[in-house]
Amino acid sequence: MRVLIVAKTRRGGGACVGGVTLEGRSVRLVFAGALAGDHAGLEYEVGEVWEIESSPDPHIVPPHVENILVYSGRRLKRVRDAGEIIRRLMPSVMGGPDPLFDGLLQALPSGCLYIAERTGIPSRSTLFWVPDQPLERDTDARRIRYRYPTEDGGRTLTFVGFQEPVEVIPAGTLLRVSLAHWWRPPERPDEELRCHGQLSGWFLEEKPLPGAAPGSGHQPFQQPRAEPAPVPELATARALLKQVFGFAEFLPQQHAVVTRILQRRDTLVILPTGGGKSLCYQLPALLLDGLTVVVSPLIALMQDQVHQLHELAVRAAFLNSSLSHREYLSAARNVRGGEARILYVAPETLLRPETLLLLEESRLACLAVDEAHCISEWGHDFRPEYRQLEQVRQRFPEAVCVALTATATPRVRRDIRRLLGIEAAGEITGSFNRPNLFLGVQARSDGLGQTLTFLEQHRGQAGIVYCSTRKQVDQLAAELAARDWPVLPYHAGLDSESRRRNQERFIHDDDVVMVATIAFGMGINKSNVRFILHYNLPRDLEGYYQEIGRAGRDGLPADCLLLHSRADAVTIRRFIDQGADSERSGRQARLEAMIRYAEAAGCRRIPLLAYFGEAHEGGCGQCDRCRAGDGRTDQVDVTEAARNFLTCVERTGESFGPVRIIDVLRGSRSQRVLSRGHDRLPVHGVGREFSVREWRELAKQFIEQGLVKQDLEFGGLRLSGRARAVLNGERVFVRRGREPAGVRTGSDSQATHDSGLFELLRRKRRELADQGGLPAYIIFSDRTLVEMARRLPRTAEEFLAINGVGEARLANYGEGFLEVIRAHGASRHSGGSATVGGSETQPTRLKTVRRRCEEIGEAFTVGETIDQLAARFGVKRGTILQHLEQHVVSGGRLDAGRVLAASALPVEQRAPVLALFKRHGLDRLAPVFEELGGRVAYDELRLLRIWFRCGEAGSRNSTLAKSRPLIEGM
Ligand code: ADP
Ligand code: ZN
């Protein structure tokens, strides 16, 4: 039987679908086997003609005689003029409502129309009506009602259609009217049974749908399109990247994706979490002529993304089931008025006819499908609604489609492409490696103790501890809370309100530790999650990779630790054995791969990436195996040297070649250096630990790796995009054997920034976030704050040069943050440290030099000996002493007793040295050395001078002052 679909009404999660047969009979489609609330019938749309297999419904209750049972259906075509066809096929009632339903309608005092069982049952429950007066929407009613005007206050029908409600339905509009099911108020059981009158849809003025030819279906979207047009917008795209988003360079693959979208070529983007997928559609959205719709299954995330866009002064809106009707209308109005450029929608909302209508009116230019793996049954998170995106594609063939996901096996990728009609060449895949995640595994012996030690290393940071069971979550959370850790639990056993609250706090606060089952994390966009601890062995590497992927989205280092236990593996195997036979072998194999990773002898990244089909050459330098030296790595971390080098290139104006850069780094005072004032740069002399030869080798490698580009005519070096990434946290490695002797291997040093200032900036961000009711990371990412603390911008212009600062953020927050930076600089200046000069660049210098010494000073304070430090940093004992002294000179504290304990000088020889310090002053050791006839080594002298300085500092510091008698006594 052929049926023209004429109405679709809301009914639970499913749809009530009305049709007209081509013989002119009204039918209501009941889907065989579907229960009320199932998503049955959603694919049927008003205006479509379907061929259906059906039989009469055996359970017909008059007046609902139109029901037919549908077994299967096939869409034939879509018609332009459904209203016209209905008028031809069906008789309609003209005039007022009285003759509707055989004249059996009655009105409640409110005007609400119904029929009562007692007074007679009409022959049918659906009909078409063309009113002779306009119907107005009742505004104060809880449900939407339309009122036909009469002298006694009017007659109303409840609106149950899927269409977007209008304020007034003009007279002469074709309406479909139906009767609801039999009903009586539950609190009045004696009352008569009634069927209320409903308005289930209308046919306002008909307008052709794009792409619909009369009598034919839509053109299939797979048809080849015209050759991609040249893209004039690309230059603008690059400008907008900075202006709006604040970024100087595209991340890997972003450029390729943006180009394709602007060329209107459908694309599948596969990038790891943190790979910058959102920008791939957000940027083109600003340039495309029309609306960009982003389909996302994560309702919590939509609001977050929209906030984020508002922060960038990009107009965006979202539609999902969390909106009240009023909010829905206001969002829809924004979209229709062309104010919003980007609209986020949940898939089920997108499929509602009124949403589709809205998109038609707003000229859909780009359909972005986020979490695109949800479309595939083979994906780990299949969502049936996603399947229907196929039809949305058909309905909007001119909109370019971009699908994005972080996880997709080859099979899932093929599925996504097939369903969305994306050509194989349209697949763009980035590396799955996340170099900023440090990967560690420990055998779980004392789980709680290991957890506490790990957390202690991350105090003040946000992170997640994953446990395998709810019980374990509750226990561990309680243990941690008892020790005053800011923990929150999360698992499916908590009520939804607690879950929502805990998740919100985690997102908003910067230091919360979430103890959770794997139920937590999907859709968490928080960019500054700094660690992930797995208390139990995960079932497979997919899950594990997804969970650790939630850390370090901002690209700054993040720490992942897995507590491995064979007992967990036994438990998982038991589950697998109890599970479905068909899945057993696959699950077992995945568990085995997980165990192999946990017990890997070499670099952890090799098996991890291999699992995702990616080869990783050599050791990564960022896992526990590599750091312990058994990663069989041939890579050595030279990040610190690279940062100094790049900073030097930057601060000398990107115009000098390697020779001059090396001169400055090694502290040359040659005329060439002095004449340009390069001796006053903070990086002047910070690279003395390497010889000229070693620096040359490094420079060569930096050029080879594309960190700097050399001008072919003049030889000057310029920073590349990757250089900026390195300055902001990305690490640099060179082949073993090519690293300079003094280089620290497996270092975990932080980016060269002022950590004190970083804290102040974080505080400022917190304050602004609280004022705006936003998560802190939405204002600026940690990475952007780190860059501020490193580059110390003083003017609006310098502030705008920071990666992550665009024009909107400069306008909103620039002054606030600049104030913090200036005040901090001023306090450093007046802080009275001997080495601070008056020049603008001095504070930076102090910080760069101090950074390493601070680290060493702190390590010494917490118990490492000088010899241990020398071994750890791969430098001489004397160098450590220099750092310790620098630490004291710049205001740091050291335990004087421990300093003295490190002295090998017999007690009786110490007093003469101290006497000479008093005579000659502390500036130079040489006169003291000379006067003692060379009997006391320089290192010993320096050690005593440190101790002496501690004593001097002690006059400002009561605990150190206590050690003063010790000194005097000798
Ligand atoms: P994904 O969705 O792939 O997980 P996001 O879109 O959330 O990644 O981006 C991850 C982080 O990278 C965000 O903090 C974002 O601001 C940042 N980012 C995106 N593009 C760039 C870029 N071109 N340069 C620097 N940072 C970027
Ligand atoms: Zn490694």
Side-chain angles (χ1 to χ4, degrees), residues 241 245-251 254 271-282 305 308 370 406 525 527 553-555 777 781 783 803-804 809:
L241 178 66
F245 297 90
F247 302 131
E249 301 282 341
F250 286 107
L251 294 179
Q254 281 181 335
L271 283 175
T273 314
K277 288 186 287 299
S278 332
L279 187 119
C280 290
Y281 53 80
Q282 288 173 347
Q305 295 248 3
Q308 214 148 2
D370 206 6
N525 202 17
S527 68
R553 269 167 176 259
D554 50 15
Y777 65 90
S781 72
R783 193 173 183 152
N803 214 24
R809 279 174 168 152

Side-chain angles (χ1 to χ4, degrees), residues 304-324:
D304 198 87
Q305 295 248 3
V306 169
H307 273 153
Q308 214 148 2
L309 287 167
H310 287 171
E311 281 299 302
L312 302 175
V314 173
R315 292 205 222 160
F318 65 94
L319 293 178
N320 61 39
S321 55
S322 75
L323 295 181
S324 69

Side-chain angles (χ1 to χ4, degrees), residues 516-557:
T517 61
I518 56 171
F520 179 73
M522 177 77 158
I524 300 293
N525 202 17
K526 187 179 176 71
S527 68
N528 58 346
V529 176
R530 293 266 75 89
F531 63 88
I532 306 280
L533 173 67
H534 278 82
Y535 195 88
N536 298 103
L537 185 73
R539 289 165 183 230
D540 51 43
L541 281 169
E542 279 110 336
Y544 177 67
Y545 201 63
Q546 207 178 1
E547 283 137 31
I548 61 172
R550 291 169 188 145
R553 269 167 176 259
D554 50 15
L556 291 179

Side-chain angles (χ1 to χ4, degrees), residues 603-605 619-623 626:
C603 171
R604 306 239 180 239
R605 267 193 173 71
C620 68
Q622 280 300 300
C623 75
C626 286

Side-chain angles (χ1 to χ4, degrees), residues 387-417:
R387 282 279 166 162
Q388 294 172 41
L389 289 173
E390 198 181 352
Q391 293 152 34
V392 178
R393 290 280 283 133
Q394 286 173 15
R395 185 151 172 178
F396 298 96
E398 52 290 282
V400 60
C401 177
V402 53
L404 310 101
T405 173
T407 48
T409 61
R411 185 175 205 172
V412 172
R413 292 177 198 185
R414 270 199 307 277
D415 241 14
I416 299 175
R417 283 198 282 102

